Coordinates of all heavy atoms in Angstrom, one line a residue:
M1 N 18.6 -16.3 49.3 CA 17.3 -16.6 49.7 C 16.6 -17.6 48.8 O 16.6 -17.4 47.5 CB 16.5 -15.3 49.9 CG 15.7 -15.1 51.1 SD 14.6 -13.7 51.1 CE 15.7 -12.7 52.3
N2 N 15.9 -18.6 49.2 CA 15.2 -19.5 48.3 C 13.8 -18.9 47.9 O 13.4 -18.0 48.5 CB 15.1 -20.9 48.9 CG 14.1 -20.9 50.1 OD1 13.0 -20.4 50.0 ND2 14.5 -21.5 51.2
P3 N 13.2 -19.5 46.8 CA 12.0 -18.9 46.4 C 10.9 -18.8 47.4 O 10.1 -17.9 47.4 CB 11.6 -19.9 45.2 CG 12.8 -20.5 44.8 CD 13.7 -20.6 46.0
H4 N 10.8 -19.8 48.3 CA 9.8 -19.7 49.3 C 10.0 -18.6 50.3 O 9.1 -17.9 50.6 CB 9.8 -21.0 50.1 CG 9.5 -22.2 49.3 ND1 8.2 -22.4 48.7 CD2 10.2 -23.3 48.9 CE1 8.2 -23.5 48.0 NE2 9.4 -24.1 48.1
A5 N 11.3 -18.3 50.6 CA 11.6 -17.2 51.5 C 11.4 -15.8 50.8 O 10.8 -14.9 51.4 CB 13.0 -17.3 52.1
L6 N 11.7 -15.8 49.5 CA 11.5 -14.5 48.8 C 10.0 -14.2 48.7 O 9.5 -13.1 48.9 CB 12.0 -14.7 47.3 CG 13.5 -14.6 47.2 CD1 14.0 -15.1 45.8 CD2 14.1 -13.3 47.5
K7 N 9.2 -15.3 48.4 CA 7.7 -15.1 48.3 C 7.2 -14.6 49.7 O 6.4 -13.7 49.7 CB 7.0 -16.4 47.9 CG 5.6 -16.2 47.7 CD 4.9 -17.5 47.2 CE 3.4 -17.3 47.0 NZ 2.8 -18.5 46.5
K8 N 7.6 -15.2 50.7 CA 7.1 -14.9 52.1 C 7.5 -13.4 52.4 O 6.7 -12.7 53.0 CB 7.8 -15.8 53.1 CG 7.2 -15.7 54.5 CD 7.7 -16.7 55.4 CE 7.1 -16.6 56.8 NZ 7.6 -17.6 57.7
A9 N 8.7 -13.0 51.9 CA 9.1 -11.6 52.1 C 8.5 -10.6 51.1 O 8.8 -9.4 51.2 CB 10.6 -11.5 52.1
G10 N 7.8 -11.2 50.1 CA 7.2 -10.3 49.1 C 8.3 -9.7 48.1 O 8.1 -8.6 47.5
L11 N 9.3 -10.4 47.9 CA 10.4 -10.0 47.0 C 10.5 -10.8 45.7 O 10.1 -11.9 45.7 CB 11.8 -10.1 47.8 CG 12.0 -9.4 49.0 CD1 13.3 -9.8 49.7 CD2 12.0 -7.9 48.7
G12 N 10.9 -10.1 44.7 CA 11.2 -10.8 43.4 C 12.5 -11.5 43.4 O 13.4 -11.3 44.3
L13 N 12.7 -12.4 42.5 CA 13.9 -13.2 42.4 C 15.0 -12.3 41.8 O 16.1 -12.5 42.2 CB 13.6 -14.4 41.5 CG 14.8 -15.4 41.4 CD1 15.2 -16.0 42.7 CD2 14.4 -16.5 40.4
L14 N 14.7 -11.4 40.9 CA 15.7 -10.6 40.2 C 15.6 -9.2 40.7 O 14.5 -8.7 41.1 CB 15.5 -10.6 38.7 CG 15.5 -12.0 38.0 CD1 15.2 -11.9 36.5 CD2 16.8 -12.7 38.2
H15 N 16.7 -8.5 40.6 CA 16.8 -7.1 41.0 C 17.5 -6.3 40.0 O 18.7 -6.7 39.6 CB 17.4 -6.9 42.4 CG 16.8 -7.8 43.4 ND1 15.6 -7.4 44.1 CD2 17.0 -9.0 43.9 CE1 15.2 -8.3 44.9 NE2 16.1 -9.3 44.8
R16 N 16.9 -5.3 39.4 CA 17.6 -4.5 38.4 C 18.7 -3.6 39.0 O 18.5 -3.0 40.0 CB 16.5 -3.5 37.7 CG 17.1 -2.8 36.5 CD 16.0 -1.9 35.9 NE 14.8 -2.5 35.6 CZ 14.5 -3.3 34.6 NH1 15.4 -3.4 33.7 NH2 13.4 -3.8 34.4
V17 N 19.9 -3.7 38.4 CA 21.0 -3.0 38.8 C 21.6 -2.1 37.8 O 22.5 -1.3 38.0 CB 22.1 -3.9 39.4 CG1 21.6 -4.7 40.6 CG2 22.6 -4.9 38.3
A18 N 21.1 -2.1 36.6 CA 21.6 -1.3 35.5 C 20.5 -1.0 34.5 O 19.4 -1.6 34.5 CB 22.7 -2.0 34.8
E19 N 20.7 -0.2 33.5 CA 19.8 0.2 32.5 C 18.5 0.6 33.0 O 17.4 0.2 32.5 CB 19.7 -1.0 31.5 CG 21.0 -1.4 30.8 CD 20.8 -2.5 29.8 OE1 19.7 -2.5 29.1 OE2 21.7 -3.3 29.6
T20 N 18.5 1.5 34.0 CA 17.2 1.9 34.6 C 16.6 3.0 33.8 O 15.4 3.4 34.2 CB 17.5 2.4 36.0 OG1 18.5 3.4 36.0 CG2 18.0 1.2 36.9
G21 N 17.2 3.6 32.8 CA 16.6 4.7 32.1 C 15.8 4.3 30.9 O 15.3 5.2 30.2
R22 N 15.5 3.0 30.6 CA 14.7 2.6 29.5 C 13.2 3.0 29.8 O 12.8 3.2 30.9 CB 14.8 1.1 29.2 CG 16.2 0.8 28.6 CD 16.2 -0.7 28.2 NE 16.7 -1.4 29.3 CZ 16.2 -2.6 29.7 NH1 15.1 -3.1 29.1 NH2 16.7 -3.2 30.8
T23 N 12.4 3.1 28.7 CA 11.0 3.5 28.8 C 10.2 2.5 29.7 O 10.2 1.3 29.4 CB 10.4 3.6 27.4 OG1 11.2 4.5 26.6 CG2 9.0 4.1 27.5
P24 N 9.5 3.0 30.8 CA 8.7 2.2 31.6 C 7.4 1.8 30.8 O 6.9 2.6 30.0 CB 8.4 3.0 32.8 CG 8.7 4.4 32.5 CD 9.6 4.4 31.3
L25 N 6.9 0.6 31.1 CA 5.6 0.2 30.6 C 5.0 -0.8 31.6 O 5.6 -1.3 32.5 CB 5.7 -0.4 29.2 CG 6.7 -1.6 28.9 CD1 6.0 -2.9 29.3 CD2 7.1 -1.6 27.5
T26 N 3.7 -1.1 31.4 CA 2.9 -1.9 32.2 C 2.4 -3.1 31.4 O 1.8 -2.9 30.3 CB 1.8 -1.2 32.9 OG1 2.3 -0.1 33.6 CG2 1.0 -2.1 33.9
L27 N 2.6 -4.3 32.0 CA 1.9 -5.5 31.4 C 1.0 -6.1 32.5 O 1.2 -5.7 33.7 CB 2.9 -6.5 30.8 CG 3.8 -7.2 31.8 CD1 4.2 -8.5 31.2 CD2 5.1 -6.3 31.9
L28 N 0.2 -7.0 32.2 CA -0.6 -7.7 33.2 C -0.2 -9.1 33.3 O 0.1 -9.8 32.3 CB -2.1 -7.7 32.7 CG -2.8 -6.4 32.8 CD1 -4.2 -6.6 32.3 CD2 -2.8 -5.7 34.2
V29 N 0.1 -9.5 34.5 CA 0.5 -10.9 34.8 C -0.6 -11.5 35.7 O -0.7 -11.0 36.9 CB 1.9 -11.0 35.5 CG1 2.3 -12.4 35.8 CG2 2.9 -10.3 34.5
D30 N -1.2 -12.5 35.2 CA -2.4 -13.1 36.0 C -3.3 -12.0 36.5 O -3.8 -12.1 37.6 CB -1.8 -13.9 37.2 CG -0.9 -15.1 36.7 OD1 -1.2 -15.7 35.7 OD2 0.1 -15.4 37.4
G31 N -3.5 -11.1 35.6 CA -4.5 -10.0 35.9 C -4.0 -8.8 36.8 O -4.7 -7.9 37.0
Q32 N -2.8 -8.9 37.2 CA -2.2 -7.9 38.0 C -1.2 -7.0 37.3 O -0.4 -7.6 36.5 CB -1.4 -8.5 39.3 CG -2.3 -9.3 40.1 CD -3.5 -8.5 40.7 OE1 -3.2 -7.4 41.3 NE2 -4.7 -9.0 40.6
P33 N -1.2 -5.7 37.4 CA -0.3 -4.8 36.7 C 1.1 -5.1 37.2 O 1.3 -5.1 38.4 CB -0.8 -3.4 37.0 CG -1.7 -3.5 38.2 CD -2.1 -5.0 38.3
V34 N 2.0 -5.2 36.3 CA 3.5 -5.3 36.6 C 4.3 -4.3 35.8 O 4.1 -4.2 34.6 CB 3.9 -6.8 36.2 CG1 5.4 -6.9 36.2 CG2 3.3 -7.8 37.1
Q35 N 5.1 -3.6 36.4 CA 5.9 -2.6 35.8 C 7.2 -3.2 35.2 O 7.8 -4.1 35.8 CB 6.4 -1.5 36.8 CG 5.2 -0.8 37.5 CD 4.4 0.0 36.4 OE1 4.9 0.7 35.6 NE2 3.0 -0.2 36.4
A36 N 7.5 -2.8 34.0 CA 8.7 -3.3 33.4 C 9.3 -2.1 32.6 O 8.8 -1.0 32.6 CB 8.3 -4.4 32.4
L37 N 10.4 -2.4 31.9 CA 11.1 -1.4 31.1 C 11.2 -2.0 29.7 O 11.4 -3.2 29.5 CB 12.5 -1.1 31.6 CG 12.6 -0.5 33.0 CD1 14.0 -0.2 33.3 CD2 11.7 0.8 33.1
A38 N 11.0 -1.2 28.7 CA 11.1 -1.6 27.3 C 12.4 -2.3 27.1 O 13.5 -1.9 27.6 CB 11.0 -0.3 26.4
G39 N 12.4 -3.5 26.5 CA 13.5 -4.3 26.2 C 13.7 -5.4 27.2 O 14.5 -6.3 27.0
D40 N 12.9 -5.4 28.3 CA 12.8 -6.6 29.2 C 12.2 -7.7 28.5 O 11.3 -7.6 27.8 CB 12.0 -6.2 30.5 CG 12.7 -5.3 31.4 OD1 13.9 -5.0 31.2 OD2 12.0 -4.8 32.4
T41 N 12.6 -8.9 28.9 CA 11.8 -10.1 28.5 C 10.7 -10.2 29.5 O 10.7 -9.6 30.6 CB 12.6 -11.4 28.5 OG1 13.0 -11.7 29.9 CG2 13.8 -11.3 27.6
V42 N 9.6 -10.9 29.1 CA 8.5 -11.2 30.0 C 9.0 -11.9 31.3 O 8.6 -11.6 32.4 CB 7.4 -12.1 29.3 CG1 6.3 -12.5 30.3 CG2 6.8 -11.3 28.1
L43 N 10.0 -12.8 31.1 CA 10.5 -13.5 32.3 C 11.2 -12.6 33.2 O 11.0 -12.6 34.5 CB 11.5 -14.6 31.9 CG 12.0 -15.5 33.0 CD1 10.9 -16.3 33.7 CD2 13.0 -16.5 32.4
T44 N 12.0 -11.7 32.7 CA 12.7 -10.7 33.5 C 11.7 -9.8 34.3 O 11.8 -9.6 35.5 CB 13.6 -9.8 32.7 OG1 14.6 -10.6 32.0 CG2 14.3 -8.7 33.5
A45 N 10.6 -9.4 33.6 CA 9.6 -8.5 34.2 C 8.9 -9.3 35.3 O 8.7 -8.7 36.4 CB 8.6 -8.0 33.1
I46 N 8.6 -10.5 35.1 CA 7.8 -11.2 36.1 C 8.7 -11.5 37.3 O 8.3 -11.4 38.5 CB 7.3 -12.5 35.5 CG1 6.2 -12.2 34.5 CG2 6.8 -13.5 36.6 CD1 5.7 -13.4 33.7
L47 N 9.9 -11.9 37.1 CA 10.8 -12.3 38.2 C 11.3 -11.1 39.0 O 11.9 -11.3 40.0 CB 12.0 -13.2 37.7 CG 11.6 -14.6 37.2 CD1 12.8 -15.4 36.7 CD2 10.7 -15.4 38.2
Q48 N 11.1 -9.9 38.5 CA 11.5 -8.8 39.3 C 10.3 -8.5 40.4 O 10.5 -7.8 41.3 CB 11.7 -7.5 38.4 CG 12.9 -7.6 37.7 CD 13.1 -6.3 36.9 OE1 13.5 -5.3 37.5 NE2 12.8 -6.4 35.6
H49 N 9.2 -9.1 40.1 CA 8.0 -8.9 41.0 C 7.6 -10.1 41.8 O 6.8 -10.0 42.7 CB 6.8 -8.4 40.2 CG 7.1 -7.0 39.6 ND1 6.9 -5.9 40.2 CD2 7.7 -6.7 38.4 CE1 7.3 -4.9 39.4 NE2 7.7 -5.4 38.3
Q50 N 8.1 -11.2 41.5 CA 7.8 -12.4 42.2 C 8.9 -13.5 42.2 O 9.8 -13.4 41.4 CB 6.5 -13.0 41.7 CG 6.4 -13.4 40.2 CD 5.1 -13.7 39.7 OE1 4.1 -13.0 39.9 NE2 4.9 -14.9 39.1
A51 N 8.9 -14.4 43.1 CA 10.0 -15.3 43.3 C 10.1 -16.4 42.3 O 11.1 -17.1 42.2 CB 10.0 -15.8 44.8
A52 N 9.0 -16.7 41.7 CA 9.0 -17.8 40.7 C 8.0 -17.4 39.6 O 7.1 -16.6 39.7 CB 8.5 -19.1 41.4
L53 N 8.3 -18.0 38.4 CA 7.4 -17.8 37.3 C 6.1 -18.5 37.4 O 5.0 -18.0 37.1 CB 8.1 -18.3 36.0 CG 7.3 -18.2 34.7 CD1 7.0 -16.8 34.4 CD2 8.1 -18.9 33.6
R54 N 6.2 -19.7 37.9 CA 5.0 -20.6 38.0 C 5.3 -21.8 38.9 O 6.5 -21.8 39.4 CB 4.6 -21.2 36.6 CG 5.7 -22.1 36.0 CD 5.3 -22.5 34.6 NE 6.3 -23.3 34.1 CZ 6.5 -24.7 34.3 NH1 5.6 -25.3 35.1 NH2 7.5 -25.3 33.8
H55 N 4.4 -22.6 39.1 CA 4.7 -23.8 39.9 C 4.5 -25.1 39.0 O 3.5 -25.1 38.2 CB 3.7 -23.9 41.1 CG 4.1 -22.9 42.1 ND1 3.7 -21.6 42.1 CD2 4.9 -23.0 43.2 CE1 4.2 -20.9 43.1 NE2 5.0 -21.8 43.8
N56 N 5.4 -26.0 39.1 CA 5.3 -27.2 38.3 C 3.9 -27.9 38.4 O 3.5 -28.1 39.5 CB 6.5 -28.1 38.6 CG 6.5 -29.4 37.8 OD1 5.7 -30.3 38.0 ND2 7.3 -29.4 36.8
E57 N 3.3 -28.2 37.3 CA 2.0 -28.8 37.3 C 2.0 -30.2 38.0 O 1.0 -30.7 38.3 CB 1.4 -28.9 35.9 CG 2.3 -29.5 34.9 CD 3.1 -28.4 34.2 OE1 3.8 -27.6 34.8 OE2 3.2 -28.5 32.9
F58 N 3.2 -30.9 38.1 CA 3.2 -32.2 38.7 C 3.7 -32.2 40.1 O 3.1 -32.8 41.0 CB 4.1 -33.1 37.8 CG 3.7 -33.2 36.4 CD1 4.3 -32.6 35.4 CD2 2.5 -33.9 36.1 CE1 3.9 -32.7 34.1 CE2 2.0 -34.0 34.8 CZ 2.7 -33.4 33.8
S59 N 4.8 -31.5 40.3 CA 5.4 -31.5 41.7 C 5.0 -30.3 42.6 O 5.1 -30.4 43.8 CB 6.9 -31.4 41.6 OG 7.4 -30.1 41.1
G60 N 4.4 -29.3 41.9 CA 4.0 -28.1 42.7 C 5.2 -27.2 43.1 O 5.1 -26.2 43.7
Q61 N 6.5 -27.6 42.7 CA 7.6 -26.8 43.0 C 7.7 -25.5 42.2 O 7.3 -25.5 41.0 CB 8.9 -27.7 42.8 CG 9.0 -28.8 43.8 CD 9.1 -28.4 45.2 OE1 10.0 -27.6 45.5 NE2 8.2 -28.9 46.0
P62 N 8.3 -24.5 42.7 CA 8.4 -23.2 42.0 C 9.4 -23.4 40.8 O 10.4 -24.1 40.9 CB 9.0 -22.3 43.0 CG 9.6 -23.1 44.1 CD 8.9 -24.4 44.1
R63 N 9.1 -22.7 39.7 CA 10.0 -22.8 38.5 C 10.2 -21.3 38.1 O 9.4 -20.5 38.3 CB 9.3 -23.5 37.4 CG 8.9 -24.9 37.7 CD 10.0 -25.8 38.0 NE 11.0 -25.8 36.9 CZ 12.2 -26.3 37.0 NH1 12.6 -26.9 38.1 NH2 13.1 -26.2 36.0
A64 N 11.4 -21.1 37.6 CA 11.8 -19.7 37.2 C 12.5 -19.7 35.9 O 13.4 -18.9 35.6 CB 12.6 -19.0 38.2
G65 N 12.2 -20.7 35.0 CA 12.9 -20.9 33.7 C 14.2 -21.6 34.0 O 14.5 -21.8 35.2
F66 N 14.9 -22.1 33.0 CA 16.1 -22.8 33.2 C 17.2 -22.3 32.3 O 18.2 -21.9 32.8 CB 15.8 -24.3 33.0 CG 17.0 -25.2 33.2 CD1 17.5 -25.4 34.5 CD2 17.7 -25.7 32.1 CE1 18.6 -26.2 34.7 CE2 18.8 -26.6 32.3 CZ 19.3 -26.8 33.6
C67 N 17.0 -22.4 31.0 CA 18.0 -22.0 30.1 C 18.1 -20.5 29.8 O 19.2 -20.0 29.5 CB 17.9 -22.8 28.8 SG 16.5 -22.1 27.7
L68 N 17.0 -19.8 29.9 CA 16.9 -18.4 29.7 C 17.3 -18.0 28.3 O 17.7 -16.9 28.0 CB 17.7 -17.6 30.7 CG 17.5 -17.9 32.2 CD1 18.3 -17.0 33.1 CD2 16.0 -17.9 32.5
M69 N 17.2 -19.0 27.3 CA 17.6 -18.6 25.9 C 16.7 -19.3 24.9 O 17.0 -19.5 23.8 CB 19.1 -19.0 25.7 CG 19.4 -20.4 25.9 SD 21.1 -20.6 25.6 CE 21.2 -22.3 25.1
G70 N 15.5 -19.7 25.3 CA 14.5 -20.3 24.4 C 14.7 -21.7 24.0 O 14.1 -22.1 23.1
A71 N 15.4 -22.5 24.8 CA 15.7 -23.8 24.4 C 15.0 -24.9 25.3 O 14.7 -26.0 24.8 CB 17.2 -24.1 24.4
C72 N 14.7 -24.6 26.5 CA 14.3 -25.7 27.5 C 12.8 -25.8 27.6 O 12.3 -26.8 28.1 CB 15.0 -25.5 28.8 SG 14.2 -24.2 29.8
Q73 N 12.0 -24.8 27.3 CA 10.6 -24.8 27.4 C 10.1 -24.8 28.8 O 9.0 -25.3 29.1 CB 10.0 -25.9 26.6 CG 10.4 -25.9 25.1 CD 9.6 -26.9 24.3 OE1 8.5 -27.0 24.4 NE2 10.4 -27.4 23.3
D74 N 10.9 -24.3 29.8 CA 10.5 -24.3 31.1 C 9.7 -23.0 31.5 O 9.3 -22.8 32.7 CB 11.7 -24.4 32.0 CG 11.4 -24.7 33.5 OD1 10.5 -25.6 33.7 OD2 11.9 -24.0 34.4
C75 N 9.6 -22.1 30.5 CA 9.1 -20.8 30.9 C 7.8 -20.4 30.1 O 7.5 -19.2 29.9 CB 10.1 -19.7 30.6 SG 10.5 -19.6 28.9
W76 N 7.0 -21.4 29.7 CA 5.8 -21.1 28.9 C 4.9 -20.3 29.8 O 4.6 -20.6 30.9 CB 5.1 -22.4 28.5 CG 5.8 -23.2 27.4 CD1 6.3 -24.4 27.5 CD2 6.0 -22.8 26.0 NE1 6.8 -24.8 26.3 CE2 6.6 -23.8 25.3 CE3 5.6 -21.6 25.3 CZ2 6.9 -23.8 24.0 CZ3 6.0 -21.6 24.0 CH2 6.6 -22.6 23.3
V77 N 4.3 -19.3 29.1 CA 3.2 -18.6 29.7 C 2.2 -18.5 28.5 O 2.5 -18.9 27.4 CB 3.5 -17.2 30.2 CG1 4.5 -17.2 31.4 CG2 4.1 -16.3 29.1
R78 N 1.0 -18.1 28.8 CA 0.0 -17.9 27.6 C -0.7 -16.6 27.8 O -0.8 -16.0 28.8 CB -0.9 -19.1 27.6 CG -1.7 -19.2 28.8 CD -2.6 -20.5 28.7 NE -3.2 -20.8 30.0 CZ -4.4 -20.2 30.4 NH1 -5.0 -19.4 29.7 NH2 -4.8 -20.5 31.6
T79 N -1.1 -16.1 26.6 CA -1.9 -14.9 26.6 C -3.3 -15.3 26.9 O -3.7 -16.4 27.0 CB -1.9 -14.2 25.2 OG1 -2.5 -15.1 24.3 CG2 -0.4 -14.0 24.7
A80 N -4.1 -14.2 27.2 CA -5.5 -14.4 27.5 C -6.3 -15.1 26.3 O -7.3 -15.8 26.5 CB -6.2 -13.1 27.8
Q81 N -5.7 -14.9 25.1 CA -6.3 -15.6 23.9 C -5.8 -17.0 23.7 O -6.2 -17.6 22.8 CB -5.9 -14.7 22.7 CG -6.6 -13.3 22.6 CD -5.9 -12.3 23.6 OE1 -4.6 -12.5 23.8 NE2 -6.6 -11.4 24.2
G82 N -4.9 -17.5 24.6 CA -4.5 -18.8 24.5 C -3.1 -19.1 23.8 O -2.7 -20.2 23.7
Q83 N -2.6 -18.0 23.3 CA -1.3 -18.1 22.6 C -0.2 -18.4 23.6 O 0.0 -17.8 24.6 CB -0.9 -16.9 21.8 CG 0.4 -16.9 21.1 CD 0.8 -15.6 20.5 OE1 0.2 -14.6 20.8 NE2 1.8 -15.6 19.7
R84 N 0.6 -19.5 23.3 CA 1.8 -19.8 24.2 C 3.0 -19.0 23.8 O 3.3 -18.8 22.7 CB 2.1 -21.3 24.1 CG 1.0 -22.2 24.7 CD 1.4 -23.6 25.0 NE 2.4 -24.1 24.1 CZ 3.2 -25.1 24.5 NH1 3.1 -25.7 25.7 NH2 4.1 -25.6 23.6
L85 N 3.6 -18.5 24.9 CA 4.9 -17.7 24.6 C 5.9 -18.2 25.6 O 5.7 -18.6 26.7 CB 4.6 -16.2 25.0 CG 3.4 -15.5 24.3 CD1 3.2 -14.1 25.0 CD2 3.7 -15.3 22.9
R86 N 7.2 -18.2 25.1 CA 8.3 -18.4 25.9 C 8.6 -17.1 26.7 O 9.0 -16.2 26.0 CB 9.5 -19.0 25.1 CG 9.4 -20.4 24.7 CD 10.7 -20.8 24.0 NE 10.7 -22.2 23.7 CZ 10.3 -22.7 22.5 NH1 10.0 -21.8 21.6 NH2 10.3 -24.0 22.3
A87 N 8.5 -17.1 27.9 CA 8.7 -15.8 28.6 C 10.1 -15.3 28.6 O 10.4 -14.1 28.6 CB 8.3 -16.0 30.2
C88 N 11.1 -16.2 28.4 CA 12.5 -15.8 28.4 C 12.9 -15.2 27.0 O 13.9 -14.6 27.0 CB 13.4 -17.0 28.7 SG 13.6 -18.2 27.4
S89 N 12.1 -15.4 26.0 CA 12.5 -14.9 24.7 C 11.4 -14.0 24.1 O 11.4 -13.8 22.8 CB 12.9 -16.1 23.7 OG 11.8 -16.9 23.6
T90 N 10.5 -13.6 24.9 CA 9.4 -12.7 24.4 C 9.6 -11.4 25.1 O 9.7 -11.3 26.4 CB 8.0 -13.2 24.8 OG1 7.9 -14.5 24.2 CG2 6.9 -12.3 24.3
L91 N 9.8 -10.3 24.4 CA 9.9 -8.9 24.9 C 8.5 -8.4 25.4 O 7.5 -8.7 24.8 CB 10.5 -7.9 24.0 CG 11.9 -8.3 23.5 CD1 12.4 -7.3 22.5 CD2 12.9 -8.4 24.7
V92 N 8.6 -7.6 26.5 CA 7.4 -7.0 27.0 C 6.9 -6.0 26.0 O 7.7 -5.4 25.2 CB 7.6 -6.4 28.4 CG1 7.9 -7.4 29.4 CG2 8.6 -5.3 28.3
S93 N 5.6 -5.8 26.0 CA 5.0 -4.7 25.2 C 3.9 -4.1 26.0 O 3.2 -4.8 26.8 CB 4.5 -5.3 23.8 OG 3.6 -6.4 24.0
P94 N 3.5 -2.9 25.7 CA 2.5 -2.2 26.5 C 1.1 -3.0 26.3 O 0.8 -3.3 25.2 CB 2.4 -0.8 25.9 CG 3.7 -0.6 25.2 CD 4.2 -2.0 24.8
G95 N 0.5 -3.2 27.3 CA -0.9 -3.9 27.3 C -0.8 -5.4 27.2 O -1.8 -6.1 27.1
L96 N 0.4 -6.0 27.1 CA 0.5 -7.4 27.0 C -0.1 -8.0 28.3 O 0.1 -7.5 29.4 CB 2.0 -7.8 27.0 CG 2.3 -9.4 26.9 CD1 1.7 -10.0 25.7 CD2 3.8 -9.6 27.0
S97 N -0.8 -9.1 28.2 CA -1.5 -9.7 29.3 C -1.1 -11.2 29.3 O -1.4 -11.8 28.3 CB -2.9 -9.5 29.3 OG -3.6 -10.2 30.4
V98 N -0.5 -11.8 30.3 CA -0.1 -13.2 30.3 C -0.6 -13.8 31.5 O -0.8 -13.2 32.6 CB 1.4 -13.4 30.2 CG1 2.0 -12.8 28.9 CG2 2.2 -12.7 31.3
L99 N -0.8 -15.1 31.4 CA -1.2 -16.0 32.5 C 0.0 -17.0 32.7 O 0.5 -17.6 31.7 CB -2.5 -16.8 32.1 CG -3.6 -15.8 31.8 CD1 -4.8 -16.6 31.2 CD2 -4.1 -15.1 33.0
T100 N 0.3 -17.3 34.0 CA 1.5 -18.1 34.2 C 1.2 -19.5 34.5 O 2.1 -20.4 34.4 CB 2.3 -17.5 35.4 OG1 1.5 -17.5 36.6 CG2 2.8 -16.1 35.2
Q101 N 0.0 -19.9 34.9 CA -0.3 -21.2 35.2 C -0.9 -21.9 33.9 O -1.5 -21.4 33.1 CB -1.3 -21.3 36.3 CG -0.7 -20.9 37.6 CD 0.5 -21.7 38.0 OE1 0.5 -23.0 38.1 NE2 1.7 -21.1 38.2
A102 N -0.6 -23.2 33.9 CA -1.0 -24.1 32.8 C -2.5 -24.1 32.7 O -3.2 -24.0 33.7 CB -0.5 -25.5 32.9
E103 N -3.0 -24.1 31.5 CA -4.5 -24.1 31.3 C -5.0 -25.5 31.8 O -4.4 -26.5 31.8 CB -4.8 -24.1 29.8 CG -6.1 -23.6 29.4 CD -6.2 -23.3 27.9 OE1 -5.2 -23.3 27.2 OE2 -7.3 -23.0 27.5
E104 N -6.2 -25.4 32.4 CA -6.8 -26.6 32.9 C -7.0 -27.6 31.7 O -7.4 -27.3 30.7 CB -8.1 -26.3 33.5 CG -8.1 -25.5 34.8 CD -7.4 -26.3 35.9 OE1 -7.7 -27.4 36.1 OE2 -6.7 -25.6 36.6
S105 N -6.8 -28.9 32.0 CA -6.9 -29.9 31.1 C -8.4 -30.1 30.7 O -9.2 -30.1 31.6 CB -6.4 -31.3 31.6 OG -6.8 -32.3 30.7
P106 N -8.8 -30.1 29.4 CA -10.2 -30.3 29.1 C -10.7 -31.7 29.1 O -11.4 -32.1 28.2 CB -10.2 -29.7 27.6 CG -8.9 -30.1 27.1 CD -7.9 -30.0 28.3
L107 N -10.4 -32.5 30.2 CA -10.8 -33.9 30.3 C -12.3 -34.0 30.5 O -12.9 -33.4 31.2 CB -10.0 -34.6 31.4 CG -8.5 -34.7 31.1 CD1 -7.9 -35.4 32.3 CD2 -8.3 -35.6 29.9
Ligands
FES201 S1 13.9 -20.6 30.2 FE1 14.3 -22.1 28.7 S2 13.0 -21.8 27.1 FE2 12.6 -20.1 28.4

C-alpha cells in the first residue's frame, strides 16, 4: 500500500511484529499522544501511527526517512523548544514532544 492509501485507511507505515514486551511510554507528535515502547526510535514510533513522517517542503510529497541510520538528514523533527533531532537516531523518552513539519521561514 502506498503512503496515500495508508493515510486514507488510517494505518501506519510500520507494524510491530516482535519485541512487544518492552516498557510502553507516550510521546507527543504534533501535539497528539503517540504510544511507543522503550527503545523505539522517534521515527519508528511515528511511522507505526502514520503513513509518513512529514511532507517535503518543496514538493509536498510524503517522506518517511531514507537511510534510517543518521546519515541522510531526511528525518529531521524538532522539539517544541526548537531543537532539531534526527528521528531515526533519537530514542523515544517519556514526555518527549516533537513537531514534524519544518518551522515557518522568518522572512
Ligand atoms: S533517515 Fe536518514 S538521517 Fe534519519
Side-chain angles (χ1 to χ4, degrees):
M1 223 184 257
N2 69 46
H4 298 293
L6 287 168
K7 183 176 182 179
K8 190 173 182 179
L11 298 172
L13 184 63
L14 302 179
H15 305 278
R16 187 180 307 279
V17 296
E19 300 185 33
T20 57
R22 287 186 271 135
T23 305
L25 57 86
T26 302
L27 66 150
L28 293 176
V29 177
D30 298 326
Q32 299 300 311
V34 166
Q35 299 300 311
L37 298 181
D40 286 349
T41 66
V42 172
L43 184 61
T44 300
I46 292 173
L47 293 179
Q48 287 183 80
H49 295 274
Q50 57 193 51
L53 174 65
R54 63 182 179 85
H55 288 83
N56 181 280
E57 51 270 48
F58 302 107
S59 69
Q61 293 297 306
R63 304 296 305 169
F66 181 72
C67 72
L68 309 182
M69 59 183 207
C72 76
Q73 305 189 37
D74 192 48
C75 66
W76 287 116
V77 295
R78 61 185 168 85
T79 65
Q81 294 75 33
Q83 179 188 10
R84 292 194 330 155
L85 304 172
R86 285 187 175 95
C88 73
S89 57
T90 302
L91 296 179
V92 296
S93 57
L96 177 66
S97 178
V98 297
L99 303 169
T100 61
Q101 290 303 303
E103 201 167 356
E104 292 294 321
S105 174
L107 293 177

